[in-house]
């Protein structure tokens, strides 16, 4: 059976305006929604108010420049481990045998991109029926020294290498809009993004997003289109609405923005 890859956005499981604040009730609900998956499942979560502020403070994504960044990398990774522990706890309570896989220990990254990754343990865990849980992380970079490996890049790499059937991203808005829906009242939801309509959409979307270290919504779509080229479909849905993530992972289409090749 092809694995399902689910990303939980940092904005869904943490309060982005309060440092180290987990949205506990949302996480509990999402854990029970994820526990309804019957087949192999990989979950990747974002950093939200755990990873992003430290990553920006120490400019991890600009590569190694000074000694202060060593503690910065250590602190950013530790913050992500702490958020990950909350996620694992919630999934276990919901009955899902989840296990943490720290990307900084198994991804070989160069110039900000994953070159390779030790996948044998992940594959074995999936075969046994466990759910590997990864996260956006501060990682060593073979050429830059250090960088941020985003959850968005991870889901695409894992989907490709594990032969995933589908990818579902849970965010805190209804999908991809023509502009940031939190800023632009006239922004319209785009139900489907394809290799054909993307070039026209990208201008308005890029000018609206890109606030955090991983580049916001346009970057997510860019990563997902690379996957669409390989015929793996993705859907971006609103995981803050109870039941929406569950419906999407159980196979319902059209709940948010689909990113497909056609
Ligand atoms: P996460 O941390 O959940 O992965 P991000 O914060 O990176 O998510 O991206 C989701 C956010 O992107 C939304 O909360 C929204 O405010 C913002 N955003 C910017 N541009 C757009 C757009 N064109 N369509 C939808 N959301 C957008």
């Amino acid at each position: 059976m092809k694995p399902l890859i689910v990303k939980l956005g940092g904005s869904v499981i943490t309060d982005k305006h309060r440092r180290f604040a987990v949205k506990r009730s949302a996480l509990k609900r999402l854990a029970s929604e994820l526990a309804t998956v019957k087949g192999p499942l990989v979950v990747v979560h974002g950093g939200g108010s755990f990873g992003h502020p430290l990553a920006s403070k120490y400019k991890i994504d600009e590569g190694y420049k000074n000694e202060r960044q060593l503690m910065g990398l250590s602190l950013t990774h530790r913050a992500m481990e702490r958020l990950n522990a909350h996620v694992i706890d919630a999934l276990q309570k919901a009955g899902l045998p989840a296990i943490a896989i720290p990307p900084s220990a198994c991804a070989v990254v160069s110039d900000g991109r994953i070159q390779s990754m030790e996948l044998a343990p992940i594959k074995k865990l999936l075969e046994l029926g466990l759910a590997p849980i990864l996260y956006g992380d501060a990682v060593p970079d073979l050429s830059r020294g250090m960088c941020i490996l985003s959850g968005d890049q991870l889901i695409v790499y894992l989907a490709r290498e594990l032969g995933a059937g589908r990818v579902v991203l849970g965010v805190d808005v209804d999908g991809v809009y023509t502009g940031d829906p939190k800023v632009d009242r006239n922004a319209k939801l785009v139900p489907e993004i394809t290799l054909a309509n993307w070039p026209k959409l990208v201008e308005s979307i890029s000018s609206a997003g890109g606030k955090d270290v991983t580049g916001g919504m346009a970057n997510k779509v860019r990563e997902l289109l690379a996957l669409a080229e390989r015929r793996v479909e993705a859907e971006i849905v609103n995981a803050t609405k109870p039941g929406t993530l569950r419906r999407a992972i159980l196979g319902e289409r059209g709940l948010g923005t689909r990113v497909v090749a056609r």
Side-chain angles (χ1 to χ4, degrees), residues 41-45 84-85 87-89 91-92 96-103 121-126 128-135:
L41 169 72
V42 177
V43 178
V44 177
H45 64 82
N84 180 252
V87 175
I88 303 268
D89 287 349
L91 290 170
Q92 287 177 340
L96 207 106
I99 179 163
I101 305 283
I122 294 179
K123 286 180 181 167
K124 189 65 197 177
L125 290 165
L126 285 171
L128 287 167
L130 281 106
I133 317 296
L134 298 90
Y135 45 88

Side-chain angles (χ1 to χ4, degrees), residues 141-201:
D141 183 305
L142 300 189
S143 57
R144 295 189 206 161
M146 57 181 66
C147 75
I148 295 299
L149 173 55
S150 73
D152 297 323
Q153 190 187 151
L154 272 169
I155 50 171
V156 169
Y157 182 85
L158 291 169
R160 211 174 61 210
E161 298 299 320
L162 299 174
R166 198 156 166 255
V167 173
V168 177
L169 278 84
V171 294
D172 68 343
V173 290
D174 285 350
V176 183
Y177 287 72
T178 51
D180 187 343
K182 288 183 186 154
V183 180
D184 178 2
R185 282 165 163 262
N186 299 317
K188 291 194 174 50
L189 184 68
V190 183
E192 191 169 276
I193 296 178
T194 64
L195 294 166
N197 73 8
W198 175 242
K200 270 194 192 165
L201 281 168

